[in-house]
Amino acid sequence: MGWITEDLIRRNAEHNDCVIFSLEELSLHQQEIERLEHIDKWCRDLKILYLQNNLIGKIENVSKLKKLEYLNLALNNIEKIENLEGCEELAKLDLTVNFIGELSSIKNLQHNIHLKELFLMGNPCASFDHYREFVVATLPQLKWLDGKEIEPSERIKALQDYSVIEPQIREQEKDHCLKRAKLKEEAQRKHQEEDKNEDKRSNAGFDGRWYTDINATLSSLESKDHLQAPDTEEHNTKKLDNSEDDLEFWNKPCLFTPESRLETLRHMEKQRKKQEKLSEKKKKVKPPRTLITEDGKALNVNEPKIDFSLKDNEKQIILDLAVYRYMDTSLIDVDVQPTYVRVMIKGKLVLPAEVKPDSSSAKRSQTTGHLVICMPKVGEVITGGQRAFKSMKTTSDRSREQTNTSYSTGF
């Protein structure tokens, strides 16, 4: 069910910089709205209001919209014209394809002296005998009815025949009301039965069925243990059942009534919820990242896919990381251990030989931004910093010699 909320109105008021109190035009069509509310308090300057293709069952809470000129309530569940007396400037009213059977309720529009256009086609009342004549005679201010202009001669004749037409309209209204009462009662009974069936399903036994003998239940379950299908097969079966139920619902013939429209909405909401549950089950929880195995072995992980090269010469191991050129060096944390190095942008890289953490150095190139880490091997002595930068200058050449080794990183 859709509700008219302040957030919904603001989202549809972008043409007015999302300011709602001064809105002159508002479109809330196809929002599954079931009740008309709040608009007369929040948007009193409205001149045009589109509410077509919703599930609104009653015209209400619009009487304070004094400046409203056009109201579109086509394709809703309205059964009676009411509560529009306060819309003093109303000039056009569209009630196409609703469920208005009480045609005499158009008398409530006699106070809307500026009303020029009215649309009632597609309503039960539009099929009444002398429908047009009755409306033309009842609303003298009207100029157009159902898109057709009202001629002066047509109005004169309708006024002359009004005393004969009105009783006939009343009789047809009475017949329609009796039919609607039966349909409402039937729909209510059907809804109650569905609720009971739903309760039975939710309160059934843990295998989804009812039993009177608990021993029989347990024995039957035990006997079926070896025949139980795997989870995937059960999931596919449920999915098939759901699709069959959905197909059955859409193929089932039904009358076009407010109740059937509401039932369709509820069914669609149910299906949507089922789909959401299925999609949640499909989502796999991401396993925690493993950097060191249980036996203490470090693993190579290069999560951000940053280019690097690892060169092993006689005296030291040089790791050249192509970190982002304009990244702040304070965001990089280097931790050199005897058997691996962890670069915390942020992760660790397994080394091919043991190094001296205390004698290691980390520098960044001022031209490329690459991070160059020089780590003396155990038993070797580093000769100086110049050699490290010599290697750094040939980084592009060494990149061709990249191995499959990678490092773990994150932000």
Side-chain angles (χ1 to χ4, degrees):
M1 175 179 176
W3 299 91
I4 296 178
T5 62
E6 186 176 338
D7 180 60
L8 176 65
I9 295 176
R10 285 193 190 280
R11 279 190 277 114
N12 289 274
E14 291 179 354
H15 59 284
N16 199 47
D17 297 326
C18 296
V19 178
I20 64 174
F21 73 89
S22 60
L23 264 181
E24 292 189 356
E25 182 176 336
L26 178 62
S27 179
L28 296 176
H29 62 285
Q30 293 182 325
Q31 298 290 336
E32 298 179 353
I33 297 168
E34 289 190 37
R35 189 179 176 194
L36 188 50
E37 54 188 350
H38 303 311
I39 294 177
D40 60 335
K41 297 175 184 176
W42 298 338
C43 313
R44 293 199 177 185
D45 289 340
L46 275 181
K47 291 183 179 180
I48 301 173
L49 179 56
Y50 296 101
L51 288 163
Q52 68 268 30
N53 205 358
N54 282 294
L55 297 160
I56 298 167
K58 184 179 180 181
I59 304 174
E60 56 185 339
N61 299 317
V62 291
S63 59
K64 293 178 182 177
L65 300 177
K66 304 296 181 183
K67 299 179 183 179
L68 190 65
E69 297 175 4
Y70 175 33
L71 176 60
N72 191 330
L73 283 164
L75 289 162
N76 276 283
N77 291 351
I78 296 164
E79 298 189 59
K80 182 181 179 181
I81 301 171
E82 56 188 337
N83 300 321
L84 290 170
E85 296 85 354
C87 302
E88 297 169 359
E89 297 296 323
L90 188 64
K92 183 177 179 180
L93 177 61
D94 192 343
L95 292 166
T96 304
V97 191
N98 275 273
F99 298 92
I100 299 169
E102 195 175 333
L103 185 56
S104 57
S105 65
I106 63 166
K107 291 181 179 179
N108 294 325
L109 297 174
Q110 289 176 338
H111 299 286
N112 302 96
I113 58 174
H114 298 288
L115 185 65
K116 303 301 178 189
E117 290 185 70
L118 177 64
F119 291 86
L120 288 172
M121 52 191 172
N123 284 275
C125 65
S127 61
F128 289 179
D129 293 337
H130 307 295
Y131 144 76
R132 186 174 174 87
E133 295 95 314
F134 180 79
V135 176
V136 170
T138 305
L139 301 175
Q141 74 272 35
L142 270 190
K143 300 296 182 186
W144 295 78
L145 176 61
D146 294 335
K148 184 180 178 182
E149 189 175 3
I150 300 170
E151 301 291 340
S153 57
E154 183 183 7
R155 193 180 301 279
I156 292 168
K157 188 174 186 309
L159 288 168
Q160 289 174 347
D161 297 339
Y162 184 75
S163 58
V164 179
I165 292 169
E166 186 182 18
Q168 296 179 20
I169 294 293
R170 294 283 185 186
E171 281 297 319
Q172 292 175 86
E173 277 183 354
K174 189 177 178 181
D175 293 341
H176 172 78
C177 289
L178 289 171
K179 288 179 183 177
R180 279 294 299 134
K182 288 180 181 178
L183 288 172
K184 283 181 182 178
E185 187 179 347
E186 185 180 342
Q188 189 175 4
R189 187 177 65 251
K190 183 181 176 183
H191 186 56
Q192 287 174 350
E193 286 176 359
E194 287 178 355
D195 287 344
K196 284 180 181 177
N197 292 334
E198 195 69 31
D199 290 340
K200 282 181 180 180
R201 288 192 204 104
S202 60
N203 295 326
F206 51 80
D207 66 337
R209 294 188 293 171
W210 286 96
Y211 293 93
T212 54
D213 187 353
I214 187 65
N215 294 323
T217 306
L218 293 172
S219 60
S220 63
L221 287 173
E222 288 172 1
S223 63
K224 289 179 182 177
D225 278 347
H226 65 284
L227 296 174
Q228 192 173 5
D231 291 341
T232 52
E233 189 175 336
E234 184 181 351
H235 172 74
N236 292 334
T237 306
K238 285 182 180 179
K239 190 174 180 181
L240 184 63
D241 291 341
N242 289 334
S243 61
E244 286 177 357
D245 291 343
D246 188 49
L247 191 63
E248 183 184 352
F249 175 84
W250 292 112
N251 288 335
K252 182 176 63 177
C254 68
L255 295 171
F256 183 64
T257 63
E259 293 77 25
S260 66
R261 292 194 75 209
L262 288 169
E263 185 185 2
T264 302
L265 174 65
R266 292 191 191 100
H267 176 77
M268 289 171 70
E269 283 181 350
K270 259 186 204 175
Q271 293 301 114
R272 190 158 51 231
K273 286 178 182 177
K274 284 179 182 177
Q275 284 298 116
E276 286 173 1
K277 284 182 180 178
L278 286 173
S279 61
E280 283 176 7
K281 286 180 180 178
K282 286 179 182 178
K283 285 179 183 176
K284 294 182 179 179
V285 180
K286 189 177 179 180
R289 186 173 50 191
T290 304
L291 299 178
I292 300 178
T293 60
E294 293 180 359
D295 57 357
K297 182 182 177 182
L299 301 176
N300 290 325
V301 181
N302 183 5
E303 195 164 293
K305 311 299 181 187
I306 292 177
D307 290 336
F308 72 95
S309 66
L310 186 66
K311 190 169 183 181
D312 182 4
N313 58 33
E314 293 179 359
K315 296 184 178 181
Q316 63 181 351
I317 297 169
I318 299 176
L319 171 64
D320 185 344
L321 295 179
V323 295
Y324 312 113
R325 177 174 296 185
Y326 300 106
M327 192 172 108
D328 194 334
T329 307
S330 63
L331 298 175
I332 305 172
D333 183 20
V334 179
D335 179 19
V336 180
Q337 297 295 328
T339 57
Y340 66 84
V341 58
R342 182 199 296 265
V343 181
M344 297 302 290
I345 1 170
K346 286 184 177 179
K348 61 175 69 170
L349 178 75
V350 179
L351 300 177
E354 190 173 345
V355 298
K356 295 179 180 180
D358 297 339
S359 303
S360 300
S361 64
K363 296 179 183 179
R364 292 189 67 182
S365 168
Q366 293 181 355
T367 55
T368 64
H370 288 198
L371 179 69
V372 180
I373 305 169
C374 296
M375 300 163 280
K377 292 183 181 178
V378 174
E380 300 291 343
V381 180
I382 188 166
T383 57
Q386 294 296 326
R387 187 165 184 168
F389 270 90
K390 232 182 225 182
S391 299
M392 182 186 68
K393 287 178 184 176
T394 58
T395 299
S396 57
D397 296 330
R398 292 197 307 272
S399 62
R400 297 193 186 102
E401 302 172 12
Q402 288 181 8
T403 64
N404 293 327
T405 309
S406 58
Y407 75 102
S408 170
T409 184
F411 291 94

